[in-house]
Amino acid sequence: GAVVSQHPSWVICKSGTSVKIECRSLDFQATTMFWYRQFPKQSLMLMATSNEGSKATYEQGVEKDKFLINHASLTLSTLTVTSAHPEDSSFYICSARDATSGRKNEQYFGPGTRLTVT
Amino acid sequence: AQSVTQLDSHVSVSEGTPVLLRCNYSSSYSPSLFWYVQHPNKGLQLLLKYTSAATLVKGINGFEAEFKKSETSFHLTKPSAHMSDAAEYFCVVSRDRDDKIIFGKGTRLHILP
């Protein structure tokens, strides 16, 4: 149980275009999902918290107009990287919290999406 | 503010020997602490977690960690390393104000044949 998927797993796009990444909780409902960014050989940095039915909250320094987050249902959150530039190339990882679980600080992670902007 | 410090960026051990991955934390009150493992091109998997119950926490794949408040440490150990243990390991602490989690910088574990 507690499986989180991401799509696509790998994407290449041209500079200036937008890319959408999907994060789905497959066997549980997630009122809260999180988006992280991981640079090569570095740790995960929390970008934003996605709340079902409300606006995402962004960590300090993260441009909300560049990284658009939508959490339209209890099983799906999307991250759209708008007007992508080469410096946006990174590994993007989502996680989800089980809404029915009492273990409120336990997160289940997706496999990640590698974005390369050329 | 909460933080975790993983004391080694790389650790190499021979197969069959013990593993020790070190983590120190900083938190204003009793934290929740986790260890995650990340295999290449795969998602993160929870190894174990401490949430103020037993100080010695047993996880999956033979890993365990001991919470030591006096030393503010949460080191990860395994008695006998296996080749499949080669991966990146992250020590994680929950953030006091909102239960979000903060990752350490990671320790790459290498297993020598």
Side-chain angles (χ1 to χ4, degrees):
Chain A
V3 178
V4 176
S5 70
Q6 281 184 242
H7 179 79
S9 56
W10 181 64
V11 58
I12 299 175
C13 71
K14 291 187 177 180
S15 189
T17 62
S18 296
V19 175
K20 180 184 284 188
I21 302 170
E22 293 186 348
C23 176
R24 294 182 185 272
S25 56
L26 298 185
D27 51 2
F28 65 99
Q29 293 184 328
T31 52
T32 305
M33 290 182 170
F34 303 89
W35 287 96
Y36 296 83
R37 184 172 182 177
Q38 185 180 28
F39 289 104
K41 299 184 180 182
Q42 294 189 30
S43 189
L44 282 75
M45 299 294 293
L46 178 64
M47 297 174 65
T49 303
S50 171
N51 299 296
E52 186 267 337
S54 64
K55 289 183 179 180
T57 54
Y58 291 81
E59 296 297 301
Q60 193 171 11
V62 177
E63 298 177 63
K64 62 181 181 180
D65 294 330
K66 179 164 189 64
F67 298 100
L68 301 180
I69 291 172
N70 186 293
H71 193 154
S73 76
L74 286 172
T75 59
L76 173 65
S77 174
T78 59
L79 168 68
T80 301
V81 183
T82 63
S83 186
H85 290 282
E87 57 265 30
D88 298 324
S89 299
S90 191
F91 195 50
Y92 292 88
I93 301 173
C94 74
S95 70
R97 210 178 256 171
D98 187 338
T100 62
S101 170
R103 296 166 290 189
K104 60 177 180 174
N105 54 14
E106 187 167 332
Q107 298 179 21
Y108 303 99
F109 286 84
T113 296
R114 184 159 304 283
L115 169 64
T116 302
V117 184
T118 61
Chain B
Q2 296 74 46
S3 66
V4 285
T5 302
Q6 291 183 244
L7 299 167
D8 306 292
S9 57
H10 291 267
V11 169
S12 295
V13 301
S14 298
E15 190 175 20
T17 64
V19 175
L20 170 64
L21 304 183
R22 298 182 295 165
C23 173
N24 286 103
Y25 71 90
S26 171
S27 180
S28 56
Y29 49 89
S30 186
S32 293
L33 291 158
F34 310 79
W35 275 98
Y36 283 88
V37 60
Q38 185 181 33
H39 289 275
N41 299 315
K42 290 192 175 181
L44 287 101
Q45 182 182 22
L46 179 66
L47 282 177
L48 51 80
K49 62 180 178 180
Y50 166 77
T51 54
S52 76
T55 56
L56 182 62
V57 182
K58 293 188 183 298
I60 62 172
N61 301 335
F63 285 94
E64 62 181 39
E66 186 171 8
F67 174 75
K68 291 187 176 180
K69 187 175 181 179
S70 61
E71 299 176 10
T72 61
S73 68
F74 190 58
H75 301 334
L76 182 70
T77 60
K78 182 173 180 177
S80 177
H82 191 272
M83 293 301 291
S84 61
D85 295 328
E88 188 86 16
Y89 291 79
F90 293 98
C91 182
V92 175
V93 66
S94 62
R95 201 159 73 178
D96 292 341
R97 65 180 187 272
D98 55 13
D99 281 330
K100 293 177 184 176
I101 59 178
I102 300 169
F103 281 78
K105 293 189 174 182
T107 298
R108 170 78 56 178
L109 177 62
H110 304 270
I111 309 297
L112 306 172

